[in-house]
Amino acid sequence: MRFNLSSSVLSSKLQTLSKVIASKNSLAILDSFLFEIKNNQLTITASDSENTMHSTINLDSAEGETSFAVNNRTIIDAVKELPEQPLSLDVNMDEQKIYITYQNGSYNFPIQPADEFPKVQPIAAGATTITIDADILAENINRSLFATAQDELRPVMNGLYFDLSADSLAIVASDGHKLVRNKIFTIKSDTPSAFILPKKPANLLKNVLTKDGGDVVIRYDQRSAEISYAEGYLSCRLIEGRYPNYNSVIPETNPNQITIDRRSLIGAIRRVSPFASESSQLIRFHIENGQLTLNAEDIDFSTSAKESVICDYAGNAMSIGFKGASMLEILNNLEGDDITIQLADPSRAGVIVPGKQPENEDVLMLIMPMLLND
């Protein structure tokens, strides 16, 4: 059979889907894309056995229906260097080959039977469903991924926790030293439920969700999730286990509040960080009389740095230690000009919130302090 499509559209879809394919697969067929042509649509599928992503392209013309698998490197290399132009693809199932014709030349290479490609088990009809705007989901994933852990002993910390309750959907990430909690008040349910999305599918979603991308529908049970978006859908295995009670580590009241320009603080931390101890990356934050002073010191190399930043603070003088790299990650993943740092005492976690919250959302980030040797 023969079908036609744009070279740039095909190349773009293949590049996105290739991120699903693992470098080493248990099944040789998983090194391939699955192509399925039906009802003038081409559906391309990539899988690593735990995550399966499908993307759909509307075809100008297609003669009949067919399905086959083709090696991912072969077809990506074939189309990635082509300028924008129409491609004609001829599939010969008897020869087990595909012929691609473009303006100044042609390719041909082997294909494999589609029935060797593993099928995804559908989720049961009674699964929980969440509908969320694509832009909001992409923003929350982007804002949270940096705080996930890489902990073999506690795998539940290695993903994003989606906590659906009667007042909101909370998207949470934590590695035990820093925490991000995003509350979306437009999504709620009288029947609480939750799931943990691994980092790989979260990263895949982040790359395919775009602004004005419509709604994303997430259906999930205890083991897996199906996520449908404008241009395809993703099936993935979830992380099983019980996520820690993240609300218990968020202080109810932190009376000492600093309001400060986010970019000024980022610049100051970047300038003093090279002079902090390489092992601890400790930076001392001293707040007094509307001024935040940052101190970094490396005793081993006899280096130190100090810089002051104007802030809005009316509390008692206070010193607290934070890891410079962790604080930078938090500040870089917040938006807006001003942020508020809420503190209680040098031994308790600091809470950082944007000066202006997104509409119908509540964004909170937390960082654990480091011991100061006074």
Side-chain angles (χ1 to χ4, degrees), residues 19-310:
K19 295 179 174 64
V20 182
I21 299 172
S23 56
K24 293 182 179 179
N25 286 300
S26 54
L27 298 173
I29 193 70
L30 293 178
D31 287 329
S32 300
F33 294 116
L34 176 65
F35 278 57
E36 297 173 286
I37 298 99
K38 189 175 183 180
N39 299 328
N40 270 0
Q41 279 192 330
L42 167 62
T43 300
I44 309 174
T45 302
S47 177
D48 65 359
S49 77
E50 291 196 349
N51 305 286
T52 302
M53 183 176 270
H54 314 258
S55 195
T56 303
I57 303 171
N58 291 317
L59 301 174
D60 298 329
S61 63
E63 301 169 1
E65 298 179 356
T66 191
S67 57
F68 59 92
V70 58
N71 183 271
N72 79 92
R73 295 181 191 87
T74 303
I75 193 163
I76 286 175
D77 290 342
V79 300
K80 70 179 180 182
E81 297 298 337
L82 292 176
E84 165 56 26
Q85 60 186 283
L87 299 179
S88 178
L89 291 84
D90 255 311
V91 182
N92 190 318
M93 297 306 293
D94 294 330
E95 296 179 4
Q96 293 285 292
K97 293 190 82 170
I98 185 169
Y99 298 83
I100 301 178
T101 306
Y102 57 99
Q103 284 176 359
N104 301 312
S106 64
Y107 304 117
N108 70 82
F109 40 86
I111 57 176
Q112 296 172 264
D115 53 14
E116 294 183 19
F117 205 89
K119 298 286 189 289
V120 176
Q121 294 297 319
I123 290 182
T128 306
T129 301
I130 296 173
T131 302
I132 182 171
D133 180 86
D135 190 22
I136 292 174
L137 180 58
E139 285 180 356
N140 279 276
I141 291 174
N142 270 317
R143 191 186 291 131
S144 309
L145 269 175
F146 80 95
T148 54
Q150 291 182 330
D151 191 338
E152 293 181 2
L153 299 178
R154 293 190 299 170
V156 294
M157 306 292 282
N158 298 343
L160 297 181
Y161 183 55
F162 285 66
D163 186 14
L164 183 62
S165 64
D167 70 332
S168 66
L169 170 66
I171 301 177
V172 182
S174 178
D175 62 2
H177 303 286
K178 52 188 180 289
L179 177 144
V180 178
R181 187 197 66 190
N182 310 277
K183 281 190 172 184
I184 305 167
F185 296 111
T186 54
I187 302 171
K188 47 191 156 185
S189 173
D190 292 333
T191 307
S193 62
F195 66 93
I196 306 171
L197 183 70
K199 262 186 283 200
K200 182 171 179 176
N203 270 306
L204 292 169
L205 277 176
K206 180 185 74 170
N207 293 328
V208 297
L209 297 179
T210 56
K211 290 188 176 181
D212 304 319
D215 286 337
V216 177
V217 179
I218 305 173
R219 296 182 66 247
Y220 61 94
D221 55 23
Q222 292 184 335
R223 296 194 61 190
S224 54
E226 285 181 356
I227 304 167
S228 302
Y229 50 94
E231 297 179 355
Y233 71 96
L234 170 68
S235 304
C236 63
R237 186 91 47 87
L238 299 174
I239 298 174
E240 296 183 46
R242 187 170 181 175
Y243 202 81
N245 182 3
Y246 60 90
N247 284 312
S248 66
V249 300
I250 302 173
E252 291 185 11
T253 55
N254 269 1
N256 301 310
Q257 300 204 1
I258 311 158
T259 301
I260 192 167
D261 181 78
R262 183 177 67 89
R263 292 179 182 86
S264 297
L265 182 54
I266 288 173
I269 294 174
R270 282 178 174 164
R271 286 186 286 273
V272 303
S273 288
F275 298 90
S277 166
E278 192 172 333
S279 58
S280 69
Q281 300 179 42
L282 170 66
I283 296 179
R284 177 193 294 263
F285 285 60
H286 181 77
I287 317 105
E288 187 175 10
N289 299 328
Q291 185 169 277
L292 169 63
T293 303
L294 305 178
N295 286 277
E297 184 179 18
D298 189 340
I299 297 173
D300 294 335
F301 293 93
S302 299
T303 62
S304 64
K306 178 179 179 182
E307 184 168 334
S308 297
V309 185
I310 296 172

